[in-house]
Structure formats: structure tokens, C-alpha cells
Amino acid sequence: MTAELVAEEGIRFATRATGLLAAFNERGVLAATDVHVARRLGRLGGETDEQVLLAAALVVRALRAGSVCLDLAAVDRTVLAEGDEVVDTSDLPWPDPAPWTAAVAMSPLVADDTAGTTGRPLRLVDGLLYLDRYWRQEEQVRETLARRAAAAAPTVDTDRLRAALTRLFAGAPDDAQRRAVAVAALRWTSVLAGGPGTGKTTTVATLLAVLRDQDPSLRIALAAPTGKAAARLQEALAEVDLPAADRARLGGLSASTIHRLLGPIRGSSRFRHDRHRHLPYDVVVVDETSMVSLTLMARLLEAVRPDARLVLVGDPDQLASVEAGAVLGDLVAAPAEPEPALDAALERAGAPGPPVRGGVTVLDRTWRFHGTIATLAAAIRAGDADAALGALRAGEHDVVFVEDADLTTRDPAGLAELREDVVGGAAETEVAALDGDAALALERLDEHRLLCAHRRGPYGVTRWAGDVERWLVESGPVADRDEEWYPGRPLLVTANDHDRGIYNGDTGVVIGTPRGPRAVFARGGAPVEIAPSLLDGVATVYAMTVHRAQGSQFARVSVILPPAESPLLTRELLYTAVTRARVRVRLVGTEEAVRAAIARPIGRASGLRRRL
């Protein structure tokens, strides 16, 4: 492979590529790895048609961009980009969709359901081209969900359920939460969707109390895609206000990552729990499901017992998984038939309402934040750029819009308050860390976070993290930063460490102790404390990407927006960034960037939504 690649101006080209592959590679639509995989498949399968090889390369490229498959009829209307610049593809020699699809269907590389062919690396289904592995995973998810939906409903004492709902929701103004609890009690699979602060965690806690009221012996597992999200789930459940008897029913519950729940096998992509060795739980709750990839969802579904309740919780408007797939969004948006038997059971349980489709309940009343943050988030989610800009320019205390700052300069004008927030938050974290107060240091660490869309460049994490470190040095540091493990150093875990229970994306802080410096991480109860010498995959985190911040909440957030033409600037990214803040959000960018983001929803190709 290395013989075919050459670096030129930071872009890697496949030097042996010809025809369509070369044209798309030279423009930056295809990376050299995409070309290499397509040519390799062509050699192995005896395929020389450059249209077919282009389709294969684009499938690989689509997977890197988060799509599960390639829609051959719409690919020329898809924004395709490499790096941090949009690629103008209008003048590229795109094949005509109909003959292109016909050529792909006839290829020896491609399996076609109608022909019953198997054992080929690609699969064409309803105009969607997959790598066969991902089609099988998508089909596995669809079939498993269909089997669970067709199974006889769980046995529930309806009178007891009605009494519990009446007790726990007495005077509650949101009937959607009551209905969501009832749906999850009456169905093997349910989806609880809603934005930040809409009461998802309260609903989950109430559901678990209701289920344990039905059967105190139920074994319950709580999971999330990242350690940080798992810790937040556990913390949030502990804070939900429930009657004493119902609170006691939740005693002893702890949350873990999905990977830890499934049991990773060292040196393998498989898990100890699978279709042959199911998880030993009666109820499995997964938070932040928007971050779960198709592959991980397939592994989870095969590991959950058919007679165990599965509750998927998340916000379909947030950024989807870094890996391919947008399963939560597909589940929420998929067309589904009404379930008269379920609706009748809900009526008997005292949770009437509109027909439930696919076990999905959406919470849309915000409790965590109000005012301008809620208005801004709603406008972004609705795709209303004018309303979003109105909220940004309203001059309210909870939303600040720093417009037209020249972020390419060393110290852009208009960012004095941002600098004060960063320096002040770091100083408070360092004071707590020097005192050895782990809980307070972690709390101060989450008071403010600087978020970027890019990793590199004038709008990226690398640049802004460097600026923050310079600001801290210039302000007179409390701690001695000449030491690697200085108290107050904010940490980002960059690799999973199953032995110590920390995972990629976790954040922590170094504190001083009589035994020397220790790294501490929030875990729902007492912070986890680890000797720095045992850590192998951490970085200093004075700024982080919006993707990394997903699943976290901070009191105040500052967001650096890239230029309008950045392909990373999407509606989901902007919405996710804004909704990380509980108290205040500061947006640094331009009107053009805001409008471009809101006008650019992420389009992840998937066949799951239409086939569920």
C-alpha cells in the first residue's frame, strides 16, 4: 500500500490510481485508503469497471463519514469533503445513477438479495450499496428488534402499575413522562427521546422504581457509550427526588460503559456476552444512545436476553456516533404501525394519550435550562436561523454572541471575558487540587469548557489549548506547571483502560495528596483515584472538540465556530455545543457560520429507517 501513496501538500494521493478513481482522489473526495481498498477488491474479484470501483471507494469513504451505506441515486447531491474544506464536486464525472446502479448490480463484487448471491464483499439493497459486513449488522439489528416487538408482551400487574404511576406522578405536569414509564413497563423494547433537561433521567429513575415495585428481584444494568456519560447517568439517578420507599428500590445501582457491560475480550473485537452467552439482566438501560454506532448496537442487541426489557435513551438531534450509523435517529424517525393492544394497556394503566408507534416516546418540555438557551436550542433544532440569531443577539445574560472576531490573530479582540472565564476556572480548579479536594476540583473543572469544531488550525483545539496555556502562564499560575503532573492539570483520556475503569473521552484532574500527585475521575460516587504512573493515554484538556464533549454538561460553555464553509459545521454540531451549557453559552463566530450550520443537517445514509 505504501508504494501507492505519496504525500503532497498534506494530502495523500494514490499514485497508481487511474480514471475515475484518480479524478476523485485528486479532488480530495476520495482518500488514498479509499482508492486502495477499491482497487484491492477489484483485483480479488476480477472487477475492472471503473464505475463499480468508484462506487466501492465511495462506500468506504461514506463509512468514514458516518454513513452505513451509499445511496447511488443521491450521491452526487451529497457534500463530500476531505479535511477542513468543502470540495466542489459539481464538475466531476459522476456516473448517471440508473446505468451506474445497473453496472454495480451486475458486478461479481456485489451480492444482490433478489439473486440470492452470498459471500461477496459488497451488497446492493434497494439502491443502497453496503460493505457486506455492515449490511449484515443492519439486518441483525432490524431482525432482533422485529422479534422483540413480535414477542408476547411482558407480564405486568396493571393495577399495581396504575397505583405506582398515580403515586409517583401525582401532580406532575408532564403526562409524557408518565406515558414513557408505562410504555417501557409494558414493552420489551422502548425508546425515550428528548433534548437535554427534558426529564429523561427522572423518567428512567421512576421507571426503575416502578419495575422494582412490580418485581423487587429484577436485575438491572445501566450503561452508556462513554465512562463520562455513565458517571453522569449514575450521578443524575442518585439526585432524582423520589419517595423514600421508591428511592430504596434503586439502591446499589451503578452504571458502566457498554463495552464494560458486554465484557471486552483482550485482543479481539468480540465480547464475552453475545448471542450464545446473554447478559444476566432483566432490564438494560442505555443512556446517550445517539452516540452508539451500528456495530456496537448490533453487539448489544445480540447480548440482551429476548425476555429482558431494553430501554434506549437519548437525543436524536445531537451528534451521532463517531463510527458509522445513527441508530437512535433511525428508531425515532422510522415509520411504524400503531399498536392497539399497547394503547389499550396504557389506558388501563392510567397513561392514556396519542398512539405509541415503535415504542418511542418523545419528551419535549425543557426543565434544566430556560430563557434564551432553551430558545436558541429550539431554534437550532427546528432549523430556524433567523430565530437562532435573534436569540444570540437578544443581549440576555445566558447567551453571548461574539461576532466577527478575527480568530486568525494571536489575541483576537472581544475575547477578554472568555480569557477571564478560562483563567478564573483554571485557578479555582488548581486551588482545590492543591488542597487535595478531589470532588471540588472535579466540580470546578466542569464550571467552564472551551469547545471547538476542528482539531487543528486557527479554529481548532490545538491552537486554542495552546492559547489557554499561554494565558495561564501570563496570569501567574497557582501551581508549578514545570512538573508533568501538576495539581490542577485537566486530563482527557484518549484510550480505553478497562483494567482501571477509565475510557476514551473521560475527563479528570490531577490533585496533590500526601502520597504524591494523583489523577482523579468522576464515577457517580466517590472519585476514582489513580497514580499517574499507571496512566497510558491521557492528554491535557484546556479545550476539546464538540464530539468529545457529547455526554457531558458544564455550567458555562464557550464555542469557537469555524468559517461557514467548514464541512464540520452542521446543525447537530451547533445544537450539541449549545446544549452542553446549563447556565451560560458564549458563541464566537459569524452570522454566516451560524446560518451555514443550521442549514446543514447531517445526512447519514442508512437503510435501517425505511426497513424497520
Side-chain angles (χ1 to χ4, degrees), residues 52-73:
V52 175
L53 297 181
L54 174 64
L58 288 171
V59 169
V60 178
R61 195 251 174 243
L63 287 167
R64 290 193 295 108
S67 290
V68 173
C69 54
L70 181 73
D71 187 342
L72 292 172

Side-chain angles (χ1 to χ4, degrees), residues 415-487:
L415 297 187
E417 288 188 1
L418 169 61
R419 179 167 177 162
E420 289 175 7
D421 277 348
V422 170
V423 172
E428 292 178 357
T429 302
E430 287 178 359
V431 169
L434 285 166
D435 289 341
D437 191 331
L440 183 59
L442 288 167
E443 180 183 328
R444 292 290 183 261
L445 182 68
D446 285 349
E447 278 294 303
H448 178 268
R449 188 55 50 89
L450 181 59
L451 304 180
C452 305
H454 290 190
R455 295 184 183 277
R456 295 173 294 276
Y459 310 93
V461 167
T462 302
R463 176 260 170 100
W464 285 94
D467 279 1
V468 170
E469 289 198 83
R470 175 169 56 83
W471 294 345
L472 293 174
V473 170
E474 292 172 355
S475 69
V478 176
D480 181 7
R481 290 191 181 82
D482 289 335
E483 298 291 331
E484 181 181 8
W485 300 104
Y486 59 86

Side-chain angles (χ1 to χ4, degrees), residues 54-124:
L54 174 64
L58 288 171
V59 169
V60 178
R61 195 251 174 243
L63 287 167
R64 290 193 295 108
S67 290
V68 173
C69 54
L70 181 73
D71 187 342
L72 292 172
V75 65
D76 59 337
R77 296 188 296 274
T78 302
V79 175
L80 296 170
E82 191 66 37
D84 288 344
E85 292 187 7
V86 169
V87 177
D88 180 7
T89 66
S90 60
D91 60 341
L92 283 173
W94 291 97
D96 291 333
W100 192 14
T101 303
V104 169
M106 295 295 294
S107 172
L109 299 178
V110 179
D112 187 333
D113 280 355
T114 60
T117 51
T118 59
R120 299 183 181 182
L122 300 171
R123 185 175 291 263
L124 183 65

Side-chain angles (χ1 to χ4, degrees), residues 356-419:
V356 173
R357 296 175 183 269
V360 177
T361 308
V362 179
L363 306 181
D364 56 10
R365 179 169 180 171
T366 300
W367 302 92
R368 178 179 300 155
F369 46 67
H370 303 280
T372 319
I373 294 181
T375 302
L376 175 59
I380 294 170
R381 190 173 60 245
D384 190 337
D386 289 336
L389 287 163
L392 286 168
R393 290 170 174 157
E396 299 294 337
H397 71 283
D398 55 343
V399 171
V400 177
F401 189 25
V402 181
E403 294 189 68
D404 302 319
D406 184 2
L407 301 184
T408 62
T409 62
R410 178 179 172 88
D411 284 304
L415 297 187
E417 288 188 1
L418 169 61
R419 179 167 177 162

Side-chain angles (χ1 to χ4, degrees), residues 271-571:
F271 296 97
R272 286 195 294 274
H273 293 288
D274 55 20
R275 70 189 65 186
H276 304 296
R277 185 183 180 188
H278 288 139
L279 290 164
Y281 298 103
D282 305 299
V283 182
V284 177
V285 178
V286 180
D287 198 15
E288 297 290 351
T289 308
S290 65
M291 300 166 64
V292 179
S293 68
L294 174 66
T295 299
L296 187 56
M297 182 61 74
R299 298 288 177 263
L300 175 67
L301 285 173
E302 71 176 7
V304 175
R305 294 197 339 254
D307 59 345
R309 287 180 178 86
L310 175 63
V311 184
L312 303 175
V313 184
D315 183 354
D317 294 312
Q318 287 188 21
L319 287 165
S321 164
V322 174
E323 298 177 43
V327 179
L328 180 66
D330 288 337
L331 291 174
V332 172
E337 295 297 323
E339 301 177 44
L342 175 62
D343 290 332
L346 290 169
E347 187 82 26
R348 292 192 299 272
V356 173
R357 296 175 183 269
V360 177
T361 308
V362 179
L363 306 181
D364 56 10
R365 179 169 180 171
T366 300
W367 302 92
R368 178 179 300 155
F369 46 67
H370 303 280
T372 319
I373 294 181
T375 302
L376 175 59
I380 294 170
R381 190 173 60 245
D384 190 337
D386 289 336
L389 287 163
L392 286 168
R393 290 170 174 157
E396 299 294 337
H397 71 283
D398 55 343
V399 171
V400 177
F401 189 25
V402 181
E403 294 189 68
D404 302 319
D406 184 2
L407 301 184
T408 62
T409 62
R410 178 179 172 88
D411 284 304
L415 297 187
E417 288 188 1
L418 169 61
R419 179 167 177 162
E420 289 175 7
D421 277 348
V422 170
V423 172
E428 292 178 357
T429 302
E430 287 178 359
V431 169
L434 285 166
D435 289 341
D437 191 331
L440 183 59
L442 288 167
E443 180 183 328
R444 292 290 183 261
L445 182 68
D446 285 349
E447 278 294 303
H448 178 268
R449 188 55 50 89
L450 181 59
L451 304 180
C452 305
H454 290 190
R455 295 184 183 277
R456 295 173 294 276
Y459 310 93
V461 167
T462 302
R463 176 260 170 100
W464 285 94
D467 279 1
V468 170
E469 289 198 83
R470 175 169 56 83
W471 294 345
L472 293 174
V473 170
E474 292 172 355
S475 69
V478 176
D480 181 7
R481 290 191 181 82
D482 289 335
E483 298 291 331
E484 181 181 8
W485 300 104
Y486 59 86
R489 179 187 172 191
L491 301 175
L492 173 69
V493 177
T494 58
N496 292 334
D497 187 338
H498 301 288
D499 293 336
R500 292 169 183 84
I502 58 174
Y503 300 91
N504 188 4
D506 286 1
T507 55
V509 64
V510 177
I511 65 169
T513 75
R515 304 178 308 283
R518 291 292 185 269
V520 294
F521 301 88
R523 272 300 173 270
V528 173
E529 188 176 298
I530 302 173
S533 61
L534 299 178
L535 296 175
D536 182 29
V538 294
T540 304
V541 58
Y542 285 119
M544 67 194 310
T545 62
V546 177
H547 279 86
R548 288 276 194 186
Q550 194 163 355
S552 300
Q553 287 285 319
F554 310 97
R556 292 165 291 129
V557 163
S558 297
V559 184
I560 305 296
L561 292 183
E565 59 270 18
S566 168
L568 300 181
L569 192 58
T570 63
R571 183 184 301 173

